[in-house]
Amino acid sequence: MSELVYPPVILAAKTMFRALDLRLRVEGSHHVPRTGGAVLASNHVSYLDFIFCGYGAHESGRLVRFMAKDSVFRHKVSGPLMRGMKHIPVNRAAGAGSYASAVSALRRGEVVGVFPEATISRSFTVKDLKNGAARMAQEAAVPLLPVALWGTQRLWTKGRPRTLTRRHTPITILVGEPIDPAAHPDGNALTAELRTRLTALVDQAQRDYPDQPAGPDDAWWQPAHLGGAAPTPEQAAELDRPGRRTAAS
């Protein structure tokens, strides 16, 4: 397929990385297969996660087709870009079509990116996962790779102002070993294995992260179990209740 949009977008992203002097740490990118289909299943702490998850596949020369809510495709600015990069729209009211499109892409040898938590984790810990990523890897018979992102929440996350011009921020991208879906014939068991591995990767990213909060006012981006001021998973679940959501969240 001709790629007229994706390469310039990647170039723009890399230019942004350099301009902001982001301290990118990428490990495990060799796990992304250079040919054939694969599912990248990432944790979700920032509105920018798709950029950095996709960057994790850059060394393997792969372009990741992300599943994203269909409203992004209808936006006058992001819509043409999303369609040009051949990402996959998700209509949550009619998810079967999105799922079928993703499986078809995998069978064509594409790499599909998924955020199985579905929404950003306010607690910055791994939430319960939807089983779509596991099921599509099983149906297409392709490897399932956990991807841990950390530091991206400091640029733009739910309930916080955007700081897209923040400089020198460390960003960690860890690509885990591929999971063979054939070894986990039950979709729920495969999802549980994915969550176990994803949690371990996120824990590693947090443990090895080079920065610490500068003080109490800066502790919001650190999870509660590490002494930060982010909501606990229970508090985050309460904040995410439909009746509690606001336009800013």
Side-chain angles (χ1 to χ4, degrees), residues 68-85:
K69 57 185 180 182
D70 58 353
S71 60
V72 180
F73 291 77
R74 296 195 299 270
H75 190 274
K76 63 181 180 180
V77 176
S78 62
L81 291 174
M82 296 294 284
R83 291 189 295 272
M85 289 184 282

Side-chain angles (χ1 to χ4, degrees), residues 44-49 120-124 152-164 220-221 248-249:
H44 202 8
V45 294
S46 167
Y47 292 109
L48 304 177
D49 284 340
I120 288 173
S121 171
R122 294 177 187 263
S123 68
F124 306 135
T152 60
Q153 76 274 23
R154 300 176 72 186
L155 301 177
W156 188 15
T157 193
K158 184 181 288 187
R160 299 288 306 185
R162 284 175 287 187
T163 53
L164 300 181
W220 63 267
W221 58 267
S249 62

Side-chain angles (χ1 to χ4, degrees), residues 27 54 86 103 136 157-158 246:
E27 292 187 7
K86 304 180 178 65
V103 171
M136 66 179 64
T157 193
K158 184 181 288 187
T246 67

Side-chain angles (χ1 to χ4, degrees), residues 151-227:
T152 60
Q153 76 274 23
R154 300 176 72 186
L155 301 177
W156 188 15
T157 193
K158 184 181 288 187
R160 299 288 306 185
R162 284 175 287 187
T163 53
L164 300 181
T165 58
R166 193 180 194 283
R167 293 175 55 77
H168 317 303
T169 308
I171 302 292
T172 301
I173 305 165
L174 304 181
V175 183
E177 294 184 5
I179 307 170
D180 181 1
H184 302 272
D186 178 75
N188 291 331
L190 180 55
T191 299
E193 176 68 13
L194 172 63
R195 188 173 189 272
T196 296
R197 296 204 195 185
L198 189 55
T199 298
L201 281 177
V202 171
D203 287 346
Q204 178 186 338
Q206 293 171 342
R207 184 173 60 248
D208 297 341
Y209 193 67
D211 277 7
Q212 292 294 322
D217 291 341
D218 188 44
W220 63 267
W221 58 267
Q222 188 83 303
H225 74 275
L226 293 179

